[in-house]
Amino acid sequence: MNKTSKLSRDGAVWGLVMVAPTIIGLLVLNIWPFIETIYMSFSKSKAFGTFEFNGLDNYIEMFQSTEFWKATWNSIYFCILTVPVGVFLALLVAVLLNAKLKGRTAFRAIFFLPMVVAPAAVAMVWKWIFNTEYGIINSILGHNIRWLTNPSIVLVTCAIVAIWSAIGYDAVLLLSGIQNISASLYEAASLDGASKVQQFFHITLPMVSPTLFVVLIMRLMASLKVYDLIYMMVDQSNPALTSAQSLMYLFYRESFVAGNKGYASAIVIWTVLLIGIVTLLQFAGQKKWVNYEV
C-alpha cells in the first residue's frame, strides 16, 4: 500500500514537472499581462512608463466618444460581412474537396496557401488589385471605383480580402469533420433513394455541425479582433479611415501613436467583453443546431 502511494505521489510530481513550463508560460505571457491591462484601464499614463489611478475616467471618456462607438460598429459590421459568407464558402469548398476529383490534393494545398503567406504580403497584393487608377479589377470592370477610399465600401473591400485569406484554413478544418462521417450513412441514404442534396442537409450538415461550430467561434473572434489587414490596406491619410477603423486599430493608435495606454487598455477590456458576450451567445444557441450524437 505504501509502495503504491509512493508511486502515485511520484507520478503526480512528474506530472506537475511536465506541465510546469506550460503553466508558467500561461501565467507570464497571458494571465499576468491581462491583469496588468485591467489595472491600466483604470489608470492614466504618466511619464517614464508610470501610471496614476484615475478610477472610471477612461471608461467614461471611452463611452462618450463618437469615434469609439464608430470603431465598435465597424468591428461588428466587419464580423457580419465576413463570418456568414466566409463559413458558407468554406463549407462549400470542403464538400467539393471531399468529392472524388482529380488533383484534389493539389487543390487543398492551393486553398490553404493564403494561410501560409504573411498577412502583410496578402494585404499589399490585394491593395494593388483594388487600386483605383491601375488595379486589375477596375481594368476589367472599366470603371474607376474607389475601393479603398470610398467610406461606403472600404470595409466591404477589406472583408473580401479577409474571406479569401481564411477560407482555405476553415475549409481544411471542415474537411476533416466531413471525412470523419461514416460512409455507411451515405450508403443507407442512397439505398433509400436520397439525393446528394438531401444527403448533405440530413447527414453531412448535422454530422459536421460540431466542427462548424468551432470554425464559427474562431472566425467570430478573429473578425472582432481584426487589425493587421485594415492597417495594411487603409493608410493613415486615407479619407475613409474612420469608416474602416476597428477597435484593435483604435487601440493601436491610442497606445502606440498617442501614448495613451490607459485609455487603450480600456478599449482592450471592452473588446474582450464583446468577444465574451458573442461567444456566450454562440454557446447558448448551439443546443438548437449542433449535433454531438455519433
Side-chain angles (χ1 to χ4, degrees):
M1 188 69 179
N2 292 334
K3 186 177 181 180
T4 303
S5 300
K6 186 177 183 302
L7 290 173
S8 178
R9 186 169 59 253
D10 291 343
V13 171
W14 277 109
L16 289 173
V17 170
M18 296 298 290
V19 300
T22 302
I23 294 175
I24 293 171
L26 185 65
L27 289 170
V28 174
L29 301 176
N30 295 92
I31 297 177
W32 177 248
F34 183 67
I35 294 172
E36 272 200 326
T37 302
I38 295 175
Y39 170 75
M40 288 167 60
S41 70
F42 294 100
S43 306
K44 182 180 180 180
S45 302
K46 304 290 285 186
F48 305 106
T50 58
F51 295 90
E52 178 184 337
F53 185 79
N54 66 348
L56 296 173
D57 289 357
N58 290 328
Y59 289 95
I60 294 172
E61 180 185 352
M62 183 178 71
F63 290 133
Q64 290 178 344
S65 171
T66 305
E67 186 179 39
F68 161 75
W69 287 114
K70 179 63 175 176
T72 300
W73 166 244
N74 288 342
S75 298
I76 295 173
Y77 184 47
F78 185 83
C79 190
I80 294 171
L81 289 172
T82 57
V83 175
V85 177
V87 173
F88 169 76
L89 291 177
L91 181 59
L92 180 63
V93 170
V95 172
L96 293 175
L97 291 177
N98 190 53
K100 295 180 180 179
L101 300 173
K102 291 183 178 179
R104 60 180 179 177
T105 303
F107 281 112
R108 291 174 188 173
I110 292 170
F111 276 105
F112 191 77
L113 191 60
M115 289 303 301
V116 181
V117 180
V122 170
M124 291 305 296
V125 170
W126 278 96
K127 192 174 181 179
W128 284 104
I129 292 174
F130 282 116
N131 188 277
T132 303
E133 297 178 0
Y134 38 81
I136 187 172
I137 293 181
N138 280 349
S139 298
I140 294 172
L141 297 176
H143 297 282
N144 289 334
I145 301 174
R146 297 184 295 115
W147 295 99
L148 293 173
T149 56
N150 186 344
S152 301
I153 62 173
V154 61
L155 211 55
V156 176
T157 304
C158 294
I160 292 171
V161 181
I163 292 170
W164 177 86
S165 301
I167 190 172
Y169 181 76
D170 294 344
V172 169
L173 293 178
L174 291 169
L175 180 62
S176 66
I178 292 173
Q179 290 180 337
N180 285 328
I181 301 174
S182 176
S184 61
L185 295 174
Y186 294 102
E187 293 173 0
S190 298
L191 291 174
D192 290 338
S195 64
K196 293 294 183 181
V197 176
Q198 290 174 325
Q199 290 178 27
F200 172 78
F201 283 104
H202 292 90
I203 299 176
T204 305
L205 199 56
M207 297 302 291
V208 82
S209 58
T211 308
L212 190 62
F213 176 68
V214 173
V215 170
L216 186 61
I217 291 293
M218 291 172 54
R219 199 50 46 213
L220 281 167
M221 290 182 177
S223 297
L224 287 173
K225 296 187 298 180
V226 63
Y227 159 70
D228 51 356
L229 177 64
I230 294 175
Y231 177 79
M232 293 300 300
M233 294 195 68
V234 184
D235 298 328
Q236 297 269 346
S237 58
N238 193 321
L241 177 61
T242 306
S243 298
Q245 183 174 247
S246 64
L247 282 168
M248 287 295 96
Y249 192 105
L250 183 61
F251 155 75
Y252 160 78
R253 204 191 69 191
E254 291 293 333
S255 180
F256 298 101
V257 178
N260 192 358
K261 291 182 171 57
Y263 183 77
S265 297
I267 295 173
V268 170
I269 299 302
W270 168 255
T271 306
V272 171
L273 289 175
L274 191 62
I275 293 173
I277 291 170
V278 173
T279 304
L280 286 175
L281 290 175
Q282 288 296 318
F283 273 98
Q286 68 165 324
K287 297 177 182 178
K288 297 182 179 180
W289 65 278
V290 180
N291 177 35
Y292 290 104
E293 296 179 5
V294 180

